[in-house]
Amino acid sequence: MATMAEDGLVIAGRRFGGRLLLGSAGYPNQQVLLDAVQAADPAMVTVAVRRISLAGYAESLVDVLAGRVLLPNTAGCTTVRDAVLTAELGREALGTDWVKLELIGDNETLYPDVEQLLRATEELVGKGFTVLPYCTDDPVVCRKLADAGAAAVMPLGAPIGTGLGVVNPYMIERICVTSAVPVILDAGIGTASDAARAMELGCAGVLLNTAVARARDPVRMAAAMAAAVHAGRDAHLAGRIPVRTQAEPSSPQLGLLGS
Amino acid sequence: MATMAEDGLVIAGRRFGGRLLLGSAGYPNQQVLLDAVQAADPAMVTVAVRRISLAGYAESLVDVLAGRVLLPNTAGCTTVRDAVLTAELGREALGTDWVKLELIGDNETLYPDVEQLLRATEELVGKGFTVLPYCTDDPVVCRKLADAGAAAVMPLGAPIGTGLGVVNPYMIERICVTSAVPVILDAGIGTASDAARAMELGCAGVLLNTAVARARDPVRMAAAMAAAVHAGRDAHLAGRIPVRTQAEPSSPQLGLLGS
Amino acid sequence: MATMAEDGLVIAGRRFGGRLLLGSAGYPNQQVLLDAVQAADPAMVTVAVRRISLAGYAESLVDVLAGRVLLPNTAGCTTVRDAVLTAELGREALGTDWVKLELIGDNETLYPDVEQLLRATEELVGKGFTVLPYCTDDPVVCRKLADAGAAAVMPLGAPIGTGLGVVNPYMIERICVTSAVPVILDAGIGTASDAARAMELGCAGVLLNTAVARARDPVRMAAAMAAAVHAGRDAHLAGRIPVRTQAEPSSPQLGLLGS
Amino acid sequence: MATMAEDGLVIAGRRFGGRLLLGSAGYPNQQVLLDAVQAADPAMVTVAVRRISLAGYAESLVDVLAGRVLLPNTAGCTTVRDAVLTAELGREALGTDWVKLELIGDNETLYPDVEQLLRATEELVGKGFTVLPYCTDDPVVCRKLADAGAAAVMPLGAPIGTGLGVVNPYMIERICVTSAVPVILDAGIGTASDAARAMELGCAGVLLNTAVARARDPVRMAAAMAAAVHAGRDAHLAGRIPVRTQAEPSSPQLGLLGS
């Protein structure tokens, strides 16, 4: 299979080798995680600071992923104070000031609390962090996050773990067109075509976890996701045909036999 | 990007190196066609017999695609007699008894005429052809075509040239589950995620033309389609997570800070 | 609630008082069926000939629906011979030459066998029946059925009993635009908005059964369906706004305070 | 057509005679507006305060809608200060402390600025207003608005004027299930089936404007919307059948002829 020269994801001035970000939670075991990471070859691997920080397990996960770019996240945080503290723990534990900011407002939908998210972003940017906030598919929130100094915005495709894909493609596309910072689709991806679709809408990257970790064969799904992100990126750059509701022959009708 | 070992498409006992079939019509020029074919590296390239048969142009297209597996099609045929005659011309011109059978019943939607399609399939099978009929997304028609000896069935995703993708995923999936012969999704593909989706539904392959030929950058789109077909096939084999309408955390809530 | 003057469904020269057709199978009991019929006030009520023909039960159902226009159907038939015989039994039992022709080709999807359906339609038309065939959402099949003398065509929205709604709105709309006879959407309706949507696409009527019979409250759902068919018909005639992917203010920006 | 006894919309302790709210902007002329209002018989008619406040035109619109429950809105406002001032003007002009709060954060998508919306809601509630805020389809924002004292929440189905319908039915349904105050779907409705669908998801009401005002026949569309809201409400209460991806016969297979 031919693929085009990779055109590169750049966030906060740093260039990455791919456009897929992979979460590290929920795999059947650590070997499967490792194999999936190898199959996906992601730009970054996200790790939950709260899990890293637990002695023992922490070192092990970080050791296991040695050589990978790790992105600590604040999964499970529900207040600005909690998220800021967790980000600081992550900085210390992993030696990076990059953080995926999660600030959850609802335990059922795991939707972010965008009001607090804006405040936490401001505060963390003020403390020198490179902040990638997980947010809603709301173009106003995305613009405000960028204005507050977020290095990228990470709108959801659908609630975490649902596998519904990109429920509101109109708004994701709109955010991609207008955002001053890279847009990483985060959450909701269920299968490869969802990841491709996110990229086709103009996203700079895709972050996913459950779709790989809980697939029947996580390693094969990791490979599928990597190929899908490439495919979607290329399709975006290639400029798809418009959607028509009327058929149009691919083989021209001119020069038909006997005509 | 890692990809898994290719698991191979087999039709009528013949093994192919990929699962993408590419049409050869409507490219900006022959060089772009060539480059797209190289980027996609398709299992087969379909060619319209009526265009081959026109002296001069014919040789050129066949020469240009030397080394590729060519699959003649009966594009533009509207009667059994016409389709059978065209298939015979294709056999002579290309030295193959394989034929993609198109028998159009409506110039607006380019939908097949399934009643005549069944008769033409029977007749061509009787004449020793390996017949791949372009048909509707109708499980009864697909079963009858297989019963009549078709080597594969090629249900449409949407009308030719529309780029609507797979409009009826339920029925395509059903056909894949029940078909005794390989199912190749044919027509309607607009972009890479559509091709991935078709494969995820269980299709053995995807045939497309307009989505590549009329993309702004056909060669890049050809690469995208090849990657998408791989991705969709791997995702199908990997067993996707179920769709849920409720969120589920990817990072476990156990061991949260302070708990 | 205001509703516009009813514009009338006409099939084979006969005018009906509404555009909803209701099936009579699968209700919790006969009283619920009766109440649902009263709430829906349908143009016709379909009855399975095979059930009518069983002595005892038959009279009862027909008696119960006295005063309603009954449309016998050939549910459960799988061959031309079987369907024709069943239609003849229905004609005798109910004293009508109208028949909803069902000729099933697949016990799993309950999809019609369109090849046999065409033959049965021809044969029944030849015997003086007014034939309303249940068919696929295939514009070529619909045109051929009309050419064969069908008084209306009844393409499916989705497989019987699924409640998926109108899976292929493009093709249903296309069939409505081109059909020489009325188009009645049959099968697949799950709830009121599905029925409204079918009418908005241009259908002349909607036939449904399971969505009412197996709703938690069949009588209320029957009323909902009647209102939805009215709503969808009016919306179709009213000419909806085009779909846009960009917002447009409903309150004009002119004359803003201070401007 | 039978309809069930109306079950009544209650907001802030006040009972309304229907569940449709209609906007008053953008009609071809005032007579059409009047006729549409009569055909829809809405629970409330929204009016833009900025337009009311312009001398001359204002009285006329209010006079014309005499006898209707008017709901002033703050269309066009982009700051808390602006929205509060406009609400106060509306209170004075219309003698009501009810207000539909619009606080727009983006001129392209007309998405609300949810951060400011929360502040404006708090402030207006503090000033004794009954506040119905137009918001995103974000369950956390909806809960916070209710916590801040909003009498209802009005999440969008899609951007204003697009006619895309309810783009994220999962989240609208979720908001309906969890909200402590009535949920009125606001914006995005294109046609009758969209309004029915919103009600089926559990909304207490639907607010729309462009879909009626800019239909080819606004009066007929107004009637369609009224019927659709009834239909959707009844369907919601009736408990729809589950969606299945496999067919299920409506006519039982038992007792088939000859069996």
Side-chain angles (χ1 to χ4, degrees), chain B residues 175-195:
Chain B
I175 292 167
C176 291
V177 166
T178 54
S179 180
V181 295
V183 178
I184 313 288
L185 197 290
D186 182 10
I189 298 295
T191 184
S193 56
D194 297 335

mmCIF file of all heavy atoms in Angstrom, chain B residues 175-195:
data_model
loop_
_atom_site.group_PDB
_atom_site.id
_atom_site.type_symbol
_atom_site.label_atom_id
_atom_site.label_comp_id
_atom_site.label_asym_id
_atom_site.label_seq_id
_atom_site.Cartn_x
_atom_site.Cartn_y
_atom_site.Cartn_z
ATOM 1 N N ILE B 175 -26.151 -8.747 3.952
ATOM 2 C CA ILE B 175 -25.724 -9.455 2.740
ATOM 3 C C ILE B 175 -24.365 -10.109 2.980
ATOM 4 O O ILE B 175 -24.141 -11.262 2.603
ATOM 5 C CB ILE B 175 -25.694 -8.486 1.533
ATOM 6 C CG1 ILE B 175 -27.124 -8.058 1.172
ATOM 7 C CG2 ILE B 175 -25.002 -9.125 0.334
ATOM 8 C CD1 ILE B 175 -27.208 -6.868 0.222
ATOM 9 N N CYS B 176 -23.470 -9.384 3.637
ATOM 10 C CA CYS B 176 -22.132 -9.945 3.923
ATOM 11 C C CYS B 176 -22.235 -11.189 4.798
ATOM 12 O O CYS B 176 -21.515 -12.170 4.595
ATOM 13 C CB CYS B 176 -21.254 -8.901 4.608
ATOM 14 S SG CYS B 176 -20.796 -7.538 3.511
ATOM 15 N N VAL B 177 -23.126 -11.149 5.777
ATOM 16 C CA VAL B 177 -23.246 -12.276 6.713
ATOM 17 C C VAL B 177 -23.793 -13.516 6.014
ATOM 18 O O VAL B 177 -23.408 -14.643 6.332
ATOM 19 C CB VAL B 177 -24.171 -11.882 7.899
ATOM 20 C CG1 VAL B 177 -24.590 -13.100 8.703
ATOM 21 C CG2 VAL B 177 -23.464 -10.877 8.807
ATOM 22 N N THR B 178 -24.686 -13.314 5.045
ATOM 23 C CA THR B 178 -25.402 -14.461 4.480
ATOM 24 C C THR B 178 -24.892 -14.911 3.112
ATOM 25 O O THR B 178 -25.235 -16.009 2.675
ATOM 26 C CB THR B 178 -26.901 -14.126 4.343
ATOM 27 O OG1 THR B 178 -27.035 -12.918 3.587
ATOM 28 C CG2 THR B 178 -27.547 -13.933 5.712
ATOM 29 N N SER B 179 -24.092 -14.084 2.456
ATOM 30 C CA SER B 179 -23.730 -14.403 1.077
ATOM 31 C C SER B 179 -22.792 -15.599 0.982
ATOM 32 O O SER B 179 -21.840 -15.734 1.743
ATOM 33 C CB SER B 179 -23.065 -13.190 0.416
ATOM 34 O OG SER B 179 -22.719 -13.504 -0.916
ATOM 35 N N ALA B 180 -23.062 -16.443 0.006
ATOM 36 C CA ALA B 180 -22.213 -17.613 -0.240
ATOM 37 C C ALA B 180 -20.987 -17.242 -1.066
ATOM 38 O O ALA B 180 -20.062 -18.040 -1.198
ATOM 39 C CB ALA B 180 -23.023 -18.691 -0.953
ATOM 40 N N VAL B 181 -20.999 -16.060 -1.653
ATOM 41 C CA VAL B 181 -19.854 -15.600 -2.471
ATOM 42 C C VAL B 181 -19.375 -14.252 -1.919
ATOM 43 O O VAL B 181 -20.103 -13.579 -1.188
ATOM 44 C CB VAL B 181 -20.257 -15.450 -3.961
ATOM 45 C CG1 VAL B 181 -20.621 -16.810 -4.565
ATOM 46 C CG2 VAL B 181 -21.402 -14.451 -4.131
ATOM 47 N N PRO B 182 -18.158 -13.846 -2.275
ATOM 48 C CA PRO B 182 -17.645 -12.568 -1.756
ATOM 49 C C PRO B 182 -18.541 -11.392 -2.144
ATOM 50 O O PRO B 182 -19.133 -11.378 -3.231
ATOM 51 C CB PRO B 182 -16.271 -12.445 -2.426
ATOM 52 C CG PRO B 182 -15.866 -13.850 -2.738
ATOM 53 C CD PRO B 182 -17.157 -14.562 -3.078
ATOM 54 N N VAL B 183 -18.620 -10.429 -1.228
ATOM 55 C CA VAL B 183 -19.412 -9.218 -1.449
ATOM 56 C C VAL B 183 -18.452 -8.047 -1.677
ATOM 57 O O VAL B 183 -17.629 -7.749 -0.815
ATOM 58 C CB VAL B 183 -20.317 -8.925 -0.234
ATOM 59 C CG1 VAL B 183 -21.113 -7.643 -0.449
ATOM 60 C CG2 VAL B 183 -21.240 -10.112 0.040
ATOM 61 N N ILE B 184 -18.563 -7.433 -2.850
ATOM 62 C CA ILE B 184 -17.744 -6.253 -3.167
ATOM 63 C C ILE B 184 -18.674 -5.051 -3.207
ATOM 64 O O ILE B 184 -19.577 -4.996 -4.035
ATOM 65 C CB ILE B 184 -17.075 -6.385 -4.558
ATOM 66 C CG1 ILE B 184 -16.407 -7.753 -4.749
ATOM 67 C CG2 ILE B 184 -16.105 -5.229 -4.799
ATOM 68 C CD1 ILE B 184 -15.152 -7.960 -3.966
ATOM 69 N N LEU B 185 -18.454 -4.092 -2.331
ATOM 70 C CA LEU B 185 -19.276 -2.874 -2.343
ATOM 71 C C LEU B 185 -18.916 -2.080 -3.579
ATOM 72 O O LEU B 185 -17.735 -1.746 -3.784
ATOM 73 C CB LEU B 185 -18.992 -2.064 -1.068
ATOM 74 C CG LEU B 185 -19.927 -0.968 -0.605
ATOM 75 C CD1 LEU B 185 -19.907 0.249 -1.510
ATOM 76 C CD2 LEU B 185 -21.357 -1.455 -0.437
ATOM 77 N N ASP B 186 -19.917 -1.733 -4.360
ATOM 78 C CA ASP B 186 -19.656 -1.065 -5.628
ATOM 79 C C ASP B 186 -20.568 0.144 -5.768
ATOM 80 O O ASP B 186 -21.787 0.009 -5.725
ATOM 81 C CB ASP B 186 -19.922 -2.059 -6.763
ATOM 82 C CG ASP B 186 -19.626 -1.466 -8.131
ATOM 83 O OD1 ASP B 186 -19.056 -0.376 -8.221
ATOM 84 O OD2 ASP B 186 -19.982 -2.138 -9.122
ATOM 85 N N ALA B 187 -19.974 1.303 -5.955
ATOM 86 C CA ALA B 187 -20.709 2.548 -6.239
ATOM 87 C C ALA B 187 -21.138 3.268 -4.970
ATOM 88 O O ALA B 187 -21.548 2.646 -3.993
ATOM 89 C CB ALA B 187 -21.949 2.310 -7.100
ATOM 90 N N GLY B 188 -21.033 4.588 -5.024
ATOM 91 C CA GLY B 188 -21.503 5.436 -3.949
ATOM 92 C C GLY B 188 -20.416 5.974 -3.036
ATOM 93 O O GLY B 188 -20.641 6.942 -2.309
ATOM 94 N N ILE B 189 -19.241 5.338 -3.051
ATOM 95 C CA ILE B 189 -18.145 5.765 -2.174
ATOM 96 C C ILE B 189 -17.752 7.211 -2.519
ATOM 97 O O ILE B 189 -17.573 7.537 -3.685
ATOM 98 C CB ILE B 189 -16.919 4.836 -2.357
ATOM 99 C CG1 ILE B 189 -17.268 3.408 -1.974
ATOM 100 C CG2 ILE B 189 -15.718 5.368 -1.571
ATOM 101 C CD1 ILE B 189 -17.608 3.204 -0.533
ATOM 102 N N GLY B 190 -17.619 8.054 -1.496
ATOM 103 C CA GLY B 190 -17.239 9.441 -1.720
ATOM 104 C C GLY B 190 -15.856 9.770 -1.207
ATOM 105 O O GLY B 190 -15.136 10.577 -1.780
ATOM 106 N N THR B 191 -15.497 9.123 -0.090
ATOM 107 C CA THR B 191 -14.209 9.445 0.511
ATOM 108 C C THR B 191 -13.701 8.237 1.298
ATOM 109 O O THR B 191 -14.360 7.184 1.334
ATOM 110 C CB THR B 191 -14.323 10.717 1.387
ATOM 111 O OG1 THR B 191 -13.020 11.064 1.876
ATOM 112 C CG2 THR B 191 -15.278 10.533 2.552
ATOM 113 N N ALA B 192 -12.540 8.372 1.900
ATOM 114 C CA ALA B 192 -11.865 7.222 2.492
ATOM 115 C C ALA B 192 -12.684 6.544 3.589
ATOM 116 O O ALA B 192 -12.745 5.315 3.666
ATOM 117 C CB ALA B 192 -10.505 7.662 3.037
ATOM 118 N N SER B 193 -13.325 7.336 4.449
ATOM 119 C CA SER B 193 -14.061 6.727 5.551
ATOM 120 C C SER B 193 -15.216 5.869 5.038
ATOM 121 O O SER B 193 -15.603 4.892 5.688
ATOM 122 C CB SER B 193 -14.577 7.799 6.514
ATOM 123 O OG SER B 193 -15.372 8.741 5.838
ATOM 124 N N ASP B 194 -15.774 6.210 3.889
ATOM 125 C CA ASP B 194 -16.838 5.380 3.304
ATOM 126 C C ASP B 194 -16.293 3.995 2.939
ATOM 127 O O ASP B 194 -16.965 2.975 3.161
ATOM 128 C CB ASP B 194 -17.398 6.017 2.028
ATOM 129 C CG ASP B 194 -18.061 7.356 2.260
ATOM 130 O OD1 ASP B 194 -18.526 7.608 3.388
ATOM 131 O OD2 ASP B 194 -18.111 8.161 1.314
ATOM 132 N N ALA B 195 -15.097 3.981 2.366
ATOM 133 C CA ALA B 195 -14.491 2.696 1.976
ATOM 134 C C ALA B 195 -14.169 1.862 3.221
ATOM 135 O O ALA B 195 -14.411 0.656 3.258
ATOM 136 C CB ALA B 195 -13.233 2.944 1.150
#
